[in-house]
Amino acid sequence: MFENVLNWIYDILWGPIMIYGILLVGLVFSIMTRFVQIRKIKEMFILMFKGQKSEAGISSFQALTVALSGRVGTGNIIGTASAIAFGGPGAVFWMWLIAFIGASTAYVESTLAQIYKTKKAGIYRGGPAYYIEKGTGQRWFGIVFAIAAILAMAILMPGVQSNAIASAMDNAFNIQPWVTGLITIILLAFIIIGGVKRIANTAQIIVPFMALAYLLVALIVIIINITEVPAVFGLIFRSAFNLDATFGGMLGAAISWGVKRGIYSNEAGQGTGPHAAAAAEVSHPTKQGLVQAASIYIDTLLVCSATALMILFMGTYNTNVNNADGELIVEHVPGHNYTEFTQLAITNALPGLNNFGSTFVALALFFFAFTTLMAYYYIAETNVAYLFSGKTEGIVTWILKFALLASAFYGAVRTSDLAWLLGDIGLGLMVWTNVIGIIILAKPAFIALKDYEEQRRAGKDPVFDPIKLGIKNADFWVERNKQNH
């Protein structure tokens, strides 16, 4: 009965309106920004390494790594594998497309987070709840997002990450899930008790190291199978457009699963990235908007593609027909453990390294998922700070810590299907609320981009002045400019 209710909620949240609506919103934002994700791609990567942290904020690079902590997680390994399992190889193309289009959405939401950020208790705070309230003047709307974010980040979604860690460790090292869960929450408790600065300092070390290590292994697998590159890319494009005999009739499933898992992985439009974006110390909101747009490319076009290509090169996947019987039209590996798709691919590609694939993917999943749990806590804490103040905020923040740790431990020992179902529901709640908000509020992000480009053409280091641009309720920037003058 309980799972039937959850499936009903899931079907509402992830129906055709969501799937095609998010593509349409990203396309509109791409047009309105004149495809900023292409025009400014060089600048995106330069800005990553500019800007210094301050007492109140973190550097652009730290904000990027905190955002990537949330973006680079189980979606890159298990999510990509499950997209291939339910949508066929063509789902990979639709993941690429949602990343390309979603980069403009990431720009808009992260720029809005900077425009409408605030300074509370000496720390920069911001995100969808903040910009929804300030942009629309409707606090109740911001409260809806804040509650959805806290439920999703602290209760519904941690289980997906910890379950992936436990499953991979069990498969690679025969470690009982409860042991993995206990170790995970002990380490996590140490990080989150230190607050945003400790989270940022940890993320800037772990995220680049693990992402580069994962991409290096993928590159080795690709080089070993370099002659298969045309065939694999051909398979992806043919099945993406229903032109492959084996995967014929799966166009709808390819689009649906590619978009769902693409959004789950890169989080464009989800409303998670803006929380870290708001914490960055920058002179103009567009700077951090561009950095966060680049994070979408890093997540999907690099890390997700690495997973997909390894699996497809080595043929270590199954694909289901989308029917009640769950019939398999491709069955290359036993069972339905999506983590094993990648583990087997690396092991088969490097047979002389004694089951290296299982060990490496287990460690990669641990670091990816662990840093995602850190990001989840930061996002939930930011929304608690939006809803509460004073002693009440402190008490609720401690309750939040225990709730997230309990959810992460429970997720490590429960079934994977239920973990993903709850995670998808949590994600859906946030996406719906945030996307409606940014559709209403997108104009200031477009104005900020135009202002930034005009100042750059004039040879200036852009500085944001909301009064000059006619943007209301950007109180932080108004006060900052007064102090600077």
Side-chain angles (χ1 to χ4, degrees):
M1 178 64 181
F2 177 63
E3 287 204 31
N4 288 338
V5 172
L6 292 179
N7 280 306
W8 177 73
I9 295 171
Y10 170 87
D11 289 339
I12 293 174
L13 292 173
W14 287 100
I17 295 175
M18 162 68 85
I19 301 301
Y20 297 105
I22 200 79
L23 281 168
L24 180 61
V25 168
L27 183 59
V28 170
F29 287 165
S30 296
I31 294 169
M32 295 298 292
T33 59
R34 294 179 295 124
F35 288 89
V36 66
Q37 65 266 51
I38 299 175
R39 294 190 299 110
K40 297 293 181 182
I41 191 164
K42 179 181 177 181
E43 201 160 342
M44 290 176 190
F45 288 92
I46 292 172
L47 287 169
M48 280 182 195
F49 303 101
K50 290 189 174 182
Q52 301 297 316
K53 61 184 178 181
S54 65
E55 287 296 317
I58 57 181
S59 70
S60 290
F61 183 71
Q62 286 179 318
L64 172 74
T65 56
V66 171
L68 281 173
S69 296
R71 300 190 200 282
V72 179
T74 58
N76 298 83
I77 298 177
I78 301 176
T80 302
S82 64
I84 294 171
F86 291 103
V92 177
F93 170 82
W94 296 102
M95 290 182 75
W96 290 339
L97 184 64
I98 196 65
F100 170 71
I101 292 176
S104 65
T105 307
Y107 163 77
V108 169
E109 63 183 359
S110 295
T111 302
L112 288 173
Q114 270 286 332
I115 290 173
Y116 295 111
K117 73 180 180 181
T118 188
K119 190 175 181 180
K120 184 177 181 182
I123 298 173
Y124 293 151
R125 296 286 192 185
Y130 295 81
Y131 60 65
I132 286 171
E133 178 185 347
K134 291 191 175 188
T136 66
Q138 304 295 318
R139 181 165 169 79
W140 69 266
F141 197 178
I143 290 172
V144 168
F145 179 88
I147 292 172
I150 292 168
L151 285 174
M153 297 290 100
I155 307 298
L156 299 178
M157 295 179 71
V160 173
Q161 307 300 327
S162 58
N163 187 272
I165 294 172
S167 175
M169 289 296 178
D170 186 21
N171 186 53
F173 307 113
N174 293 317
I175 299 174
Q176 291 293 311
W178 72 267
V179 175
T180 300
L182 188 61
I183 294 170
T184 299
I185 65 170
I186 289 171
L187 293 173
L188 184 62
F190 172 75
I191 300 297
I192 65 177
I193 286 172
V196 61
K197 294 296 179 72
R198 187 177 293 175
I199 291 171
N201 289 333
T202 305
Q204 75 174 353
I205 295 170
I206 294 177
V207 172
F209 170 75
M210 201 60 241
L212 288 172
Y214 191 74
L215 292 173
L216 178 61
V217 170
L219 182 62
I220 292 169
V221 174
I222 292 168
I223 291 171
I224 291 171
N225 297 275
I226 195 70
T227 57
E228 298 298 317
V229 169
V232 166
F233 275 89
L235 177 63
I236 290 171
F237 286 108
R238 287 197 311 275
S239 56
F241 295 98
N242 220 22
L243 301 176
D244 187 85
T246 303
F247 302 100
M250 293 192 70
L251 178 60
I255 297 173
S256 175
W257 283 95
V259 172
K260 276 192 291 190
R261 288 297 170 242
I263 295 170
Y264 193 94
S265 175
N266 66 49
E267 302 185 0
Q270 184 176 324
T272 52
H275 295 87
E281 184 68 75
V282 291
S283 65
H284 197 288
T286 291
K287 289 183 176 182
Q288 189 55 209
L290 292 173
V291 169
Q292 293 300 326
S295 72
I296 304 299
Y297 291 154
I298 294 170
D299 173 88
T300 305
L301 298 186
L302 290 179
V303 185
C304 284
S305 294
T307 300
L309 292 175
M310 285 191 290
I311 290 171
L312 294 176
F313 275 133
M314 304 310 299
T316 53
Y317 65 95
N318 302 330
T319 296
N320 297 29
V321 170
N322 228 12
N323 61 23
D325 297 327
E327 176 191 350
L328 292 175
I329 59 171
V330 172
E331 186 173 11
H332 291 158
V333 297
H336 298 275
N337 186 332
Y338 305 124
T339 307
E340 290 184 8
F341 287 12
T342 312
Q343 289 175 319
L344 283 171
I346 297 173
T347 297
N348 292 348
L350 306 169
L353 294 181
N354 295 323
N355 212 26
F356 173 74
S358 292
T359 302
F360 178 76
V361 172
L363 292 174
L365 262 176
F366 174 80
F367 285 111
F368 285 170
F370 183 80
T371 53
T372 298
L373 287 169
M374 288 172 14
Y376 284 176
Y377 170 76
Y378 171 66
I379 293 164
E381 182 192 85
T382 300
N383 285 281
V384 166
Y386 171 80
L387 293 173
F388 303 99
S389 296
K391 290 183 179 179
T392 304
E393 180 187 343
I395 293 169
V396 176
T397 298
W398 276 104
I399 293 172
L400 175 73
K401 287 179 170 72
F402 286 113
L404 188 142
L405 293 172
S407 176
F409 181 77
Y410 178 58
V413 297
R414 70 183 174 190
T415 62
S416 182
D417 287 345
L418 181 59
W420 276 98
L421 179 60
L422 288 171
D424 280 339
I425 289 172
L427 174 61
L429 288 171
M430 291 181 65
V431 174
W432 269 99
T433 313
N434 182 58
V435 169
I436 291 170
I438 60 177
I439 289 171
I440 297 170
L441 301 171
K443 187 177 179 181
F446 304 147
I447 293 172
L449 177 61
K450 183 179 178 182
D451 175 63
Y452 175 85
E453 291 183 303
E454 287 175 351
Q455 292 191 55
R456 288 283 288 149
R457 281 194 292 270
K460 300 177 182 178
D461 181 17
V463 175
F464 185 61
D465 184 350
I467 295 177
K468 176 185 173 184
L469 299 174
I471 297 174
K472 298 178 180 179
N473 298 324
D475 304 326
F476 166 81
W477 292 97
V478 172
E479 186 61 32
R480 174 174 172 162
N481 290 339
K482 283 181 182 178
Q483 291 175 358
N484 288 342
H485 287 306

